[in-house]
Amino acid sequence: MTEAAASAPALVGALPSEASPWGLARRRLLRNRLALFMLGVFVAIVLLSLAAPIYAHDVAHTDPFRSHLDGTTVVNGKRVLVIPQSTGGLGIGATPIGPTWDLHHYFLGADNQGRDVAARLLYGGRNSLLIGFFAALITCLAGTLIGVVAGFFGGITDGVISRVLEIVWAFPVYLFAICLSVILVNQDFVFGPVRVGSGSIALPIMIIGIVYIPYVARPVRGEVLSLRRREFVEAAIGLGASRTRLLRKDVLPNVATTVIVLFPLVMAIAMLTEAALSFLSIGVQPPDASWGTIIQDGKDLIRTRPAVALAPGLAIALTVLALNVLGDGIRDALDPRAKVRGVR
Amino acid sequence: MKRNPYFKQWSAAAQPDGYVDQITESFGLTDEAEVTEIENGQGDWMLEQPPSDRLNEIGTKYASQVHISDLTAFWYVPMNTNLPPFNNLKARQALSYAVDRNATIKIFGGTNLATASCQVLPKGFPGHKDYCPYTKNPGAHWSAPDLAKAKALVKASGTAGQKVTVVSSDDAVNKAVAVYLQSVLNQLGYKAKVKPISANISFTYPKNTKNKVQINVQQWYQDYPAASDFLYILFGCESFHPGSDSSINMAGFCNKKINAKMHQALKVAVTNEQRANAMWSQIDRMVTDQAPMVTLFNPKHVDFVSKRVGNFTFSKQFYWLVARSWVQ
Amino acid sequence: MLRFVVRRMASALFVMFSLSVLVFLIFFATPGADPTARIAGKNASQQTLHEVRKDFGLDRPMPVQYGLMMERLFVSRDLISSVTRDEVVPQIVEAAPITFSLVLGASILWVVFAIALGLIAAVYRGRTLDAVVMIVGLIGISMPVFWVGEVVNMFTQSRLHDTFLFSWVPPLGYVPLTQSPLGWFKALLMPWLTLSILYIGLYARVLRSALVESQEEDYVRTARAKGLSERRVLFRHSLRTSLITFVSLFGLDFGALVGGGALLVEVVFNLHGLGWLTYQSLQQFDLPVIMATVVYAAFFVVIVNAAVDLVYALLDPRVRHA
């Protein structure tokens, strides 16, 4: 009974704002300094990515989408080739320059095409954040819905949904992507006014978004199966609550915490899967960049120029970390039972 | 020896005039792993070329184990002469003027591993005579790209702004060359995309006209040491089969005059090889002028062997003559 | 229980069938995938192509080709690869134990570590240790597995190979357990670590959060009110129900990996398991092998999920009636 009364944000209108559940949540969140800090970090990452053109044009004076294989830059006052040829031994191989730590000249060094990695990293953030965020959003929203329906209604509904989830999970995504990219080489999909070519980021968003639905749906389903039998649910049914009310007030809030935790993790997985899809020519295409594609570029430079692959990896890690902590903060703030926190 | 990527494993017994007693081939390693194994002495030779990020390493620390041999082969970029924009001669020549062959050589591994070229026949081939019109100072050799001339040609062709898709194999070097070409095409005013496809279909896919490939990155290695292997097989009318996966003339190039001359040269070769070679030199120039392709460079072959391999001998037709080497 | 098993077996068949049809359709919708020219050889004549097509039955209607392939895969079991001409079923049989060894070892590692780290993070919640554990875990899931593998190889096979640290690491490849248990272990240790790094962080995070959640649950409060020590509360009560999400995800990941999901790890470490087979067949557009690996993978996904559903009942007694 206490549960049904406490988890009632829909009754907000009756209460003065400071004492309302939302107001309480907001105050709790604002007091969580770590969460706020991480929110700041995330906002900073987004802003930096949006500022990519400014950095490339005004600070680094480079075009990160054009190959500069024979280009030159200034390092420590001297003009050097961006990709100098080896001079030692047999003189074979050509290695791009490494990080110069000079914001105006190839801060993180050059990649195999002689492009400025730092500038590409900022541009890449836009694509990665967009794709990662929306793919994770699709996965989490659809996965929650599907998982709740399967777990709550059980029976044949659950049977059918679970089989479909298994088909999706066992589906050979890479085969699909390879074949799709070959099909889309010279033509685009046309859905009425919408034209989707292989370079459209709608493709990776949809593909990744759908393929990971089981990753959210199965855990949610499992939780709902467990929740269905709990005391407060039985109590609510005893009080005559309708099924929708039950779903809204009791099941969803509990499930929401699982999904809040999964969201940033799915986003990380999405950003990395995007790299694999780009490699197969679905999504971000050369010369565009995403953190995943830069990691791919760095794959052939792991031994000689590890910064190229490390930088975007750390960017992904930082973003995911920020969202994780922020997610924890939001969940703690919304949790009506969180009065007993910090006690061990 | 270590090789890649098939499944079988076999061993061969000694041959009378060879030194090896047994050859064991194993498959499945990545090229990076192969280099490491040879460095560790766990393998004697690798089929693939060493990846570009290991070249400097083996060229300095393991220089005595690296053998660089000349090849009669070339890296080239066939352009589909039946599809826009490359059905326009000026557009094709423009690209050939704009491509910085040094940049592509750098991707491949540097000037010690490849020589820039503009023509079809590789150096050392019967009938080869140095010829390069697509450079800043046209003459015998390539020196530098001529971007100004290229841009003027594009303007004159009226093809600027068209969409171009560069197809290539998805391995590191081919893909990098394709990305570079995309950059050049964009500079010239086209809207270029890159489509790397699996190495296993990168040879068949562009051949079929149904796939409408406009331009792709290819290599051609000699099958036999005669000029016709390059000129006739790659650019003869009879090598072009629309709608088939087996149509080696990827440019779809069919010039009646040049073709007639090729037939003539083939006939003459039966009796008078020298005269035939002179004719092939001429045909080489004619085809190069028509630019159904952009020739990039003539590559050299890198063989990385373990410390214990001795008497390494190389043939341009069969490459490393395994049986003639020994191990101690 | 018997009904459960029978129903799930039927589901497995349904899922395998659906996927095989999907794979077939996708493959044939792709231009350039036709293996005729590649089988026929470089610069084959049109006549040769025509004959190859007839020989391999590639000119028959699609449903017929599908039926023939399924028959050869399951009934006569003599399906051959369209690229290497080797039989497919023996390849799968050979590859399966390799993948199984890899995935079993890695999953034991990641489960043990994830539970340990998740518990530590939950117990020390809010303190530095919690943050450190979480950060390290998150870095693990942010670097793609092929990168981790290449770096591991770079150090163990190359840079530090001659030092005492890694000189015991054998050349890349699989050593069968029956041949040498120690060799099997040594060859798999690095791949196990590489594969598990990806998952440890994720599972530790999920577990930590679920543990923290359930701290507030009624039954936990009841246990505390009854006077149980904090540790007992944590271990015996919270852990069991917190494991639901953990187990769900584990079922999905384990099922996918056993079916060949670890392709990049297998390729980087030269383990010729199902993932490696899948990778090769995708590169070569080898439909028979692709088909076999997909169907095999589908079977395991269903079976493992079924096992997970059984485990739910074990974990949370309240679910038993579901």
Side-chain angles (χ1 to χ4, degrees):
Chain A
M1 272 181 310
T2 41
E3 260 59 41
S7 54
L11 301 178
V12 160
L15 305 163
S17 60
E18 290 85 21
S20 82
W22 292 120
L24 275 169
R26 197 181 41 217
R27 279 196 4 246
R28 268 203 289 267
L29 184 60
L30 287 172
R31 266 186 288 147
N32 186 342
R33 286 204 314 246
L34 185 58
L36 285 182
F37 176 69
M38 285 306 181
L39 176 62
V41 167
F42 182 70
V43 168
I45 293 177
V46 171
L47 286 178
L48 275 173
S49 300
L50 289 175
I54 303 176
Y55 176 76
H57 193 253
D58 301 318
V59 179
H61 308 291
T62 180
D63 180 350
F65 301 115
R66 182 164 287 180
S67 304
H68 304 286
L69 285 153
D70 276 331
T72 61
T73 187
V74 178
V75 176
N76 291 330
K78 284 205 309 212
R79 186 145 281 274
V80 295
L81 275 175
V82 164
I83 308 185
Q85 256 192 221
S86 298
T87 43
L90 296 170
I92 52 179
T95 312
I97 54 174
T100 63
W101 306 120
D102 172 0
L103 278 173
H104 299 280
H105 298 104
Y106 288 85
F107 184 69
L108 290 171
D111 66 9
N112 266 329
Q113 296 279 329
R115 300 173 299 206
D116 186 331
V117 174
R120 285 176 70 76
L121 193 67
L122 292 184
Y123 271 103
R126 303 166 150 204
N127 280 323
S128 283
L129 291 170
L130 259 178
I131 295 175
F133 186 83
F134 283 104
L137 198 66
I138 292 178
T139 300
C140 289
L141 286 178
T144 307
L145 182 65
I146 293 172
V148 166
V149 168
F152 198 75
F153 292 104
I156 296 186
T157 319
D158 182 16
V160 169
I161 291 182
S162 290
R163 299 297 79 75
V164 172
L165 286 177
E166 279 159 8
I167 292 179
V168 171
W169 191 244
F171 186 74
V173 184
Y174 293 139
L175 172 69
F176 179 67
I178 290 175
C179 297
L180 190 63
S181 73
V182 177
I183 294 174
L184 290 177
V185 169
N186 277 320
Q187 64 206 52
D188 298 336
F189 285 143
V190 183
F191 301 112
V194 177
R195 176 170 229 106
V196 177
S198 64
S200 159
I201 61 170
L203 272 178
I205 291 177
M206 290 305 303
I207 294 176
I208 300 174
I210 293 176
V211 156
Y212 283 104
I213 286 178
Y215 216 60
V216 172
R218 285 277 302 178
V220 166
R221 171 184 170 274
E223 279 231 27
V224 173
L225 284 175
S226 160
L227 283 169
R228 236 169 50 171
R229 301 292 162 176
R230 282 211 197 155
E231 307 78 25
F232 65 87
V233 172
E234 286 168 351
I237 296 180
L239 283 174
S242 80
R243 273 218 288 242
T244 22
R245 204 188 138 91
L246 216 58
L247 275 169
R248 210 154 38 95
K249 300 281 166 53
D250 302 301
V251 172
L252 277 179
N254 282 285
V255 154
T257 50
T258 303
V259 179
I260 288 181
V261 169
L262 283 176
F263 182 86
L265 298 172
V266 172
M267 197 165 149
I269 296 176
M271 289 196 263
L272 291 175
T273 310
E274 179 273 315
L277 287 180
S278 300
F279 182 76
L280 302 171
S281 295
I282 297 285
V284 178
Q285 315 265 302
D288 292 333
S290 71
W291 288 339
T293 56
I294 301 178
I295 295 180
Q296 288 279 358
D297 289 341
K299 177 167 81 104
D300 302 314
L301 289 167
I302 291 180
R303 285 171 177 261
T304 45
R305 294 286 169 241
V308 179
L310 269 176
L314 289 175
I316 294 179
L318 193 61
T319 307
V320 171
L321 174 66
L323 286 173
N324 263 311
V325 176
L326 187 56
D328 272 352
I330 292 178
R331 196 208 54 217
D332 284 348
L334 286 175
D335 191 347
R337 296 162 299 185
K339 283 184 228 125
V340 211
R341 281 180 50 244
V343 171
R344 263 178 282 115
Chain B
M1 311 182 302
K2 299 274 175 180
R3 197 188 285 196
N4 183 15
Y6 313 102
F7 291 99
K8 291 169 30 199
Q9 175 136 355
W10 57 276
S11 63
Q15 294 163 311
D17 51 320
Y19 299 102
V20 253
D21 292 322
Q22 179 174 309
I23 303 172
T24 320
E25 302 181 354
S26 72
F27 306 93
L29 286 173
T30 59
D31 49 8
E32 290 276 352
E34 289 172 355
V35 172
T36 306
E37 288 218 349
I38 294 180
E39 287 176 354
N40 289 343
Q42 293 154 340
D44 292 312
W45 176 76
M46 54 189 279
L47 175 68
E48 280 76 20
Q49 298 288 276
S52 30
D53 66 335
R54 307 297 288 276
L55 284 174
N56 184 44
E57 182 185 329
I58 61 177
T60 46
K61 282 192 265 191
Y62 301 90
S64 57
Q65 294 168 231
V66 177
H67 299 272
I68 303 177
S69 319
D70 284 329
L71 270 186
T72 41
F74 75 154
W75 278 57
Y76 71 118
V77 182
M79 292 174 280
N80 195 328
T81 55
N82 299 315
L83 286 177
F86 298 118
N87 52 359
N88 184 314
L89 173 65
K90 293 203 168 75
R92 301 198 298 266
Q93 289 174 330
L95 187 59
S96 207
Y97 273 106
V99 167
D100 180 356
R101 283 141 178 92
N102 256 342
T104 58
I105 288 177
K106 203 175 259 190
I107 294 173
F108 186 72
T111 45
N112 285 326
L113 286 184
T115 327
S117 169
C118 299
Q119 62 196 112
V120 180
L121 293 179
K123 215 177 174 73
F125 224 60
H128 169 94
K129 274 218 186 75
D130 284 323
Y131 175 58
C132 184
Y134 301 114
T135 174
K136 265 221 171 98
N137 306 307
H141 300 286
W142 183 87
S143 55
D146 193 340
L147 206 51
K149 179 128 196 217
K151 285 194 176 151
L153 277 169
V154 170
K155 201 154 158 225
S157 73
T159 55
Q162 288 189 22
K163 292 204 189 139
V164 179
T165 302
V166 183
V167 172
S168 78
S169 157
D170 63 3
D171 67 88
V173 182
N174 272 289
K175 188 168 166 194
V177 171
V179 172
Y180 167 69
L181 284 174
Q182 176 195 31
S183 181
V184 173
L185 285 164
N186 282 334
Q187 255 190 309
L188 289 176
Y190 294 102
K191 295 203 174 68
K193 289 198 293 188
V194 179
K195 281 296 142 77
I197 55 182
S198 164
N200 290 279
I201 58 170
S202 66
F203 187 57
T204 46
Y205 183 83
K207 286 192 281 185
N208 196 328
T209 50
K210 282 194 262 191
N211 298 320
K212 303 214 179 74
V213 173
Q214 296 162 289
I215 175 174
N216 74 109
V217 182
Q218 281 295 331
Q219 296 86 53
W220 187 256
Y221 301 85
Q222 77 168 54
D223 288 320
Y224 48 87
S228 56
D229 183 39
F230 275 72
L231 284 164
Y232 183 59
I233 299 286
L234 294 178
F235 300 108
C237 292
E238 287 79 23
S239 294
F240 177 51
H241 302 284
S244 159
D245 268 2
S246 181
S247 166
I248 300 228
N249 183 343
M250 293 189 204
F253 182 71
C254 184
N255 181 307
K256 294 270 162 60
K257 198 171 131 209
I258 299 181
N259 216 52
K261 217 172 162 84
M262 290 206 236
H263 279 282
Q264 239 197 325
L266 283 169
K267 245 173 65 191
V268 170
V270 178
T271 48
N272 187 337
E273 221 190 288
Q274 241 192 339
R275 224 187 98 201
N277 281 338
M279 293 175 79
W280 284 117
S281 297
Q282 241 196 325
I283 296 172
D284 190 7
R285 285 176 78 107
M286 290 165 80
V287 172
T288 304
D289 286 340
Q290 285 297 304
M293 80 292 160
V294 177
T295 302
L296 298 177
F297 54 80
N298 299 120
K300 299 204 176 127
H301 195 88
V302 175
D303 282 291
F304 184 45
V305 295
S306 68
K307 227 185 265 197
R308 58 181 204 154
V309 171
N311 198 35
F312 180 89
T313 38
F314 187 88
S315 127
K316 289 200 180 109
Q317 180 67 33
F318 300 109
Y319 297 24
W320 180 36
L321 299 172
V322 188
R324 298 202 54 81
S325 289
W326 55 66
V327 291
Q328 40 233 143
Chain C
M1 182 63 189
L2 184 63
R3 261 185 52 204
F4 178 81
V5 170
V6 168
R7 263 188 323 159
R8 285 311 176 97
M9 279 300 171
S11 312
L13 283 171
F14 172 71
V15 170
M16 286 159 75
F17 170 71
S18 313
L19 278 166
S20 64
V21 170
L22 280 171
V23 167
F24 206 76
L25 290 174
I26 293 173
F27 193 83
F28 278 103
T30 309
D34 184 348
T36 316
R38 281 175 292 141
I39 298 176
K42 198 175 171 188
N43 203 17
S45 74
Q46 306 306 306
Q47 179 63 14
T48 314
L49 290 181
H50 181 74
E51 279 167 18
V52 166
R53 208 163 265 134
K54 256 181 58 184
D55 269 350
F56 282 77
L58 293 164
D59 56 346
R60 316 275 281 280
M62 285 211 322
V64 175
Q65 287 193 46
Y66 174 79
L68 283 174
M69 183 177 289
M70 289 295 113
E71 192 268 334
R72 288 212 193 96
L73 179 58
F74 289 110
V75 180
S76 52
R77 284 190 286 276
D78 60 357
L79 183 66
I80 58 172
S81 148
S82 58
V83 176
T84 64
R85 246 60 67 73
D86 289 331
E87 285 198 13
V88 176
V89 175
Q91 284 178 34
I92 304 254
V93 167
E94 256 184 62
I98 300 177
T99 297
F100 202 70
S101 306
L102 172 67
V103 175
L104 196 62
S107 55
I108 291 176
L109 264 180
W110 100 53
V111 166
V112 165
F113 273 97
I115 293 186
L117 290 179
L119 279 172
I120 293 175
V123 165
Y124 290 96
R125 175 178 165 206
R127 308 238 288 246
T128 334
L129 197 52
D130 175 19
V132 167
V133 160
M134 284 297 109
I135 290 176
V136 168
L138 286 175
I139 294 187
I141 75 168
S142 304
M143 288 311 297
V145 78
F146 67 78
W147 182 90
V148 176
E150 290 285 7
V151 169
V152 164
N153 274 344
M154 180 168 73
F155 284 114
T156 62
Q157 298 280 347
S158 198
R159 297 264 168 87
L160 300 176
H161 190 57
D162 299 322
T163 66
F164 73 93
L165 271 174
F166 297 119
S167 53
W168 54 266
V169 177
L172 296 177
Y174 181 70
V175 176
L177 182 60
T178 45
Q179 187 183 312
S180 153
L182 185 62
W184 174 85
F185 180 84
K186 288 203 288 194
L188 283 174
L189 188 59
M190 288 303 155
W192 281 338
L193 288 171
T194 304
L195 187 54
S196 56
I197 282 179
L198 169 65
Y199 294 104
I200 291 178
L202 195 146
Y203 281 76
R205 172 101 191 97
V206 162
L207 188 65
R208 170 201 180 276
S209 142
L211 281 174
V212 162
E213 256 298 285
S214 69
Q215 298 264 47
E216 326 295 344
E217 292 289 324
D218 286 335
Y219 65 89
V220 172
R221 273 193 235 160
T222 313
R224 279 209 199 100
K226 279 205 230 161
L228 288 169
S229 81
E230 197 57 34
R231 251 190 34 198
R232 278 194 84 186
V233 168
L234 194 64
F235 276 52
R236 294 196 65 210
H237 294 267
S238 299
L239 198 52
R240 277 175 101 202
T241 22
S242 303
L243 283 176
I244 286 192
T245 303
F246 191 99
V247 165
S248 312
L249 292 178
F250 183 79
L252 289 172
D253 286 327
F254 188 81
L257 286 174
V258 156
L263 26 140
L264 295 172
V265 171
E266 291 186 11
V267 168
V268 165
F269 287 98
N270 194 32
L271 300 165
H272 295 196
L274 283 150
W276 186 88
L277 207 59
T278 306
Y279 179 81
Q280 296 290 341
S281 62
L282 282 176
Q283 285 272 323
Q284 294 167 352
F285 277 77
D286 189 348
L287 181 59
V289 180
I290 291 175
M291 182 66 79
T293 54
V294 170
V295 163
Y296 177 92
F299 178 74
F300 273 93
V301 165
V302 178
I303 295 301
V304 174
N305 272 345
V308 167
D309 281 344
L310 285 175
V311 173
Y312 283 157
L314 272 173
L315 276 183
D316 190 347
R318 297 173 294 194
V319 180
R320 219 155 256 160
H321 304 288

